[in-house]
């Protein structure tokens, strides 16, 4: 009886998530919304493991005699229909491959990306536990000065632990030739998240020869914004001063982020050398060469994110009232200038947390006001945190980022960065 209840609960839960994943709509569940969003992305990115789990549960239920009676059999039929829906979701991920191929074809020599018929596809792209074996992680490196750490402890003693970063590089990387650098800023609504999140993008870029840095920053509401932006610039300072020891080139650094991390990354890229965001290191060059955004928050005042203004002003920035001037100063949409750096923008077209249209508006405004290159790649079927999972969409996206960054690196006059060896040619 107990297992029957567990089985029925799983049937209803996964059926609801599968339906919502396909429809692109999710229920509003106060205090559990983040878990709902995570569950949606899990279903859309890992449909095959969910099918395996369902088969296991069905077999156990059958052995225990759960399916005796009409109602249990109805649940069984619902479960079978749910698995058909999961297969459709899996096939739907192939649209992301086509979108990436179309986006990069003008500047990439990458052949067709791995498809269902590719050995690479099954070995890595649908493997939830895939981790490149030739990438080494240098973990928990502090990037703040002694005085900055002392400042952080004033809010909370544990906050100093967030002033750290990880460096990812190939084990066989040569220090004789500097490699371009990619700095990633995690998302999480400015209140959660960690640099150690298993983003496939981070590991893929390290695997193909980039030196990758993933940073932590102090979280709100213990440390109010713009502490997060200041911390990101502190991390960038550290990268410029120390990344050569890891084989990185401090003269070519691209920054990236998702969700709130995307807002921080974009503001960092669009406000180089602004002294008010560089307390104590005002003379340090904090410019970067390019910026990559994934489901990023690009406007803190627009109608597209009607909830964000009050939330950001009060909970994240610790202000009593909504300060439109302050919000505009930290909205990437309103910081675009003629000489801004190139941008690559991804957004899942089923994202219900950060509206898909907000990225479209940012790209349109960028094209109007900036001479630099910008590329917008919608990700078909992508929910808000699709990039967190080792799945076809996230791996296709990683290849797309790699190819675009190599293109920008070459356009900067650094030559064609084709360091990838034959054994890492993922096109099959």
């Amino acid at each position: 009886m107990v297992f029957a209840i567990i089985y029925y609960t799983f049937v209803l839960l996964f059926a609801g998530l599968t339906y919502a994943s396909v429809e692109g709509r999710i229920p509003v569940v106060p205090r559990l919304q983040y878990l709902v969003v995570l569950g949606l992305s899990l279903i859309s990115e890992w449909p095959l493991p969910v099918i395996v789990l369902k088969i296991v549960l069905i077999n156990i239920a059958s052995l225990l005699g759960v399916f005796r009676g009409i109602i249990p059999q109805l649940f069984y039929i619902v479960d079978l229909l749910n698995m058909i829906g999961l297969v459709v979701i899996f096939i739907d991920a192939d649209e992301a491959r086509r979108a990436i191929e179309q986006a990069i074809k003008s500047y990439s020599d990458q052949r067709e990306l791995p498809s269902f018929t590719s050995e690479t596809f099954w070995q890595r792209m649908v493997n939830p536990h895939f981790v490149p074996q030739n990438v080494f992680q240098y973990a928990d490196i502090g990037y703040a000065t002694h005085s900055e750490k002392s400042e952080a402890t004033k809010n909370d003693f544990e906050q100093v632990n967030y002033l750290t970063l990880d460096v990812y590089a190939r084990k066989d990387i040569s220090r004789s030739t500097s490699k371009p650098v990619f700095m990633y800023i995690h998302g999480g609504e400015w209140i959660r998240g960690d640099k150690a999140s298993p983003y496939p993008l981070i590991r893929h870029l390290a695997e193909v020869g980039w030196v990758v840095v993933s940073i932590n920053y102090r979280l709100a509401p213990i440390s109010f914004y713009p502490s997060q932006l200041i911390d990101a610039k502190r991390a960038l300072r550290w990268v410029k001063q120390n990344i050569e020891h890891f084989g990185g080139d401090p003269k070519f650094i691209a920054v990236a982020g998702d969700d709130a991390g995307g807002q921080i990354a974009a503001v960092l890229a669009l406000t180089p050398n602004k002294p008010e965001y560089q307390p104590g290191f005002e003379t340090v060059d904090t410019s970067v060469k390019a910026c990559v955004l994934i489901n990023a928050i690009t406007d803190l005042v627009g109608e597209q994110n009607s909830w964000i203004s009050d939330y950001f002003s009060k909970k994240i920035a610790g202000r009593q009232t909504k300060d439109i001037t302050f919000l505009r100063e930290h909205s990437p949409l309103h910081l675009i200038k003629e000489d801004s750096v190139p941008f690559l923008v991804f957004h899942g077209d089923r994202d219900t947390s950060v509206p898909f249209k907000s990225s479209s508006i940012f790209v349109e405004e960028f094209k109007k006001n900036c001479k630099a290159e910008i590329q917008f790649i919608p990700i078909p079927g992508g929910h808000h945190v699709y990039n967190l999972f080792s799945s076809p969409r996230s791996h296709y996206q990683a290849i797309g980022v790699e190819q675009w960054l190599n293109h920008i690196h070459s356009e900067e006059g650094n030559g064609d960065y084709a360091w990838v060896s034959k054994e890492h040619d993922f096109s099959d």
Side-chain angles (χ1 to χ4, degrees):
M1 183 63 181
V2 174
F3 185 82
I5 294 174
I6 293 173
Y7 174 72
Y8 298 153
T9 301
F10 268 90
V11 170
L12 295 175
L13 175 63
F14 283 115
L17 286 172
T18 300
Y19 176 78
S21 178
V22 173
E23 280 292 301
R25 303 175 189 172
I26 62 173
V28 177
V29 184
R31 303 192 181 193
L32 294 177
Q33 199 64 20
Y34 180 75
L35 292 178
V36 173
V37 172
L38 193 64
L40 260 183
S41 291
L42 185 151
I43 288 290
S44 64
E45 301 310 308
W46 283 351
L48 296 188
V50 173
I51 289 174
V52 171
L53 173 62
K54 281 183 164 296
I55 291 173
V56 170
L57 291 176
I58 286 173
N59 279 286
I60 295 175
S62 180
L63 290 173
L64 295 177
V66 169
F67 298 124
R68 295 170 187 162
I70 294 183
I71 293 179
Q73 289 179 10
L74 288 175
F75 271 91
Y76 176 65
I77 293 172
V78 169
D79 216 9
L80 292 179
L81 292 173
N82 187 188
M83 284 194 280
I84 294 173
L86 289 167
V87 172
V88 172
I89 288 174
F90 174 70
I91 295 172
D92 186 46
D94 193 54
E95 292 298 319
R97 175 180 65 86
R98 297 174 186 174
I100 299 294
E101 283 181 345
Q102 181 67 23
I104 67 176
K105 69 178 184 180
S106 65
Y107 52 78
S108 171
D109 59 359
Q110 182 83 41
R111 297 191 294 277
E112 290 185 2
L113 303 187
S115 65
F116 298 142
T117 61
S118 164
E119 183 179 340
T120 296
F121 180 87
W122 295 101
Q123 285 181 343
R124 72 165 61 208
M125 291 186 152
V126 296
N127 181 357
H129 302 291
F130 176 77
V131 176
Q133 297 302 305
N134 63 342
V135 173
F136 189 82
Q137 177 185 4
Y138 303 86
D140 300 324
I141 302 170
Y143 61 76
T145 65
H146 179 73
S147 60
E148 290 165 352
K149 291 177 182 177
S150 298
E151 172 202 333
T153 60
K154 293 178 182 178
N155 291 332
D156 182 88
F157 182 78
E158 292 295 323
Q159 289 291 286
V160 71
N161 295 329
Y162 292 105
L163 302 176
T164 57
L165 55 80
D166 297 343
V167 176
Y168 295 81
R170 282 180 60 129
K171 294 176 181 178
D172 59 350
I173 197 169
S174 171
R175 301 294 193 273
S176 60
T177 304
S178 295
K179 309 302 185 295
V181 180
F182 183 77
M183 188 176 97
Y184 197 85
I185 305 174
H186 71 77
E189 299 178 352
W190 302 277
I191 62 173
R192 66 172 69 89
D194 189 87
K195 59 181 171 54
S197 296
Y199 297 104
L201 172 59
I202 289 174
R203 290 171 171 81
H204 174 80
L205 286 177
E207 184 182 19
V208 298
W210 284 66
V211 175
V212 180
V213 179
S214 180
I215 76 165
N216 268 350
Y217 49 87
R218 288 171 293 166
L219 301 176
I222 295 176
S223 294
F224 289 126
Y225 188 92
S227 295
Q228 294 74 27
L229 174 61
I230 292 171
D231 289 348
K233 289 188 177 255
R234 287 170 173 167
L236 179 59
R237 173 194 62 190
W238 183 95
V239 172
K240 293 208 170 192
Q241 294 174 349
N242 297 278
I243 203 63
E244 286 182 299
H245 300 301
F246 300 88
D249 180 4
K251 296 187 292 298
F252 191 96
I253 301 171
V255 66
D258 66 293
D259 185 55
Q263 180 268 339
I264 297 170
V267 175
L268 182 151
L270 294 167
T271 60
N273 308 320
K274 291 203 76 169
E276 58 265 45
Y277 307 142
Q278 299 179 204
F281 59 107
E282 293 84 354
T283 60
V284 173
D285 176 21
T286 55
S287 63
V288 295
K289 295 295 186 180
C291 185
V292 179
L293 303 182
I294 303 169
N295 292 352
I297 297 170
T298 54
D299 189 9
L300 300 173
V301 297
E303 295 180 358
Q304 297 302 316
N305 286 351
S306 57
W307 59 274
I308 196 73
S309 297
D310 282 329
Y311 170 81
F312 187 87
S313 296
K314 296 174 183 178
K315 185 169 183 177
I316 305 305
R319 301 194 169 217
Q320 297 299 316
T321 59
K322 184 165 61 176
D323 185 339
I324 297 299
T325 301
F326 174 79
L327 293 173
R328 287 176 66 89
E329 288 174 349
H330 294 277
S331 295
L333 179 67
H334 301 290
L335 295 172
I336 301 167
K337 299 181 181 65
E338 186 179 10
D339 61 347
S340 296
V341 298
F343 271 71
L344 173 62
V345 180
F346 293 92
H347 210 119
D349 64 5
R350 292 180 187 167
D351 187 350
T352 55
S353 297
V354 179
F356 176 83
K357 190 175 181 180
S358 64
S359 284
S360 299
I361 293 172
F362 175 80
V363 172
E364 291 170 8
E365 194 68 18
F366 192 97
K367 289 179 178 178
K368 291 177 185 176
N369 295 285
C370 183
K371 294 180 179 180
E373 176 181 334
I374 187 167
Q375 184 165 30
F376 182 34
I377 306 180
I379 298 297
H383 288 274
H384 185 58
V385 289
Y386 71 87
N387 59 302
L388 182 63
F389 299 87
S390 177
S391 68
R393 281 189 190 87
S394 58
H395 283 283
Y396 290 138
Q397 175 181 270
I399 296 172
V401 172
E402 173 208 345
Q403 295 296 312
W404 184 81
L405 287 174
N406 291 348
H407 158 65
I408 296 299
H409 187 261
S410 177
E411 290 292 307
E412 283 283 321
N414 298 288
D416 184 19
Y417 188 69
W419 193 78
V420 186
S421 63
K422 181 64 180 175
E423 64 181 298
H424 296 102
D425 181 356
F426 306 125
S427 58
D428 284 348

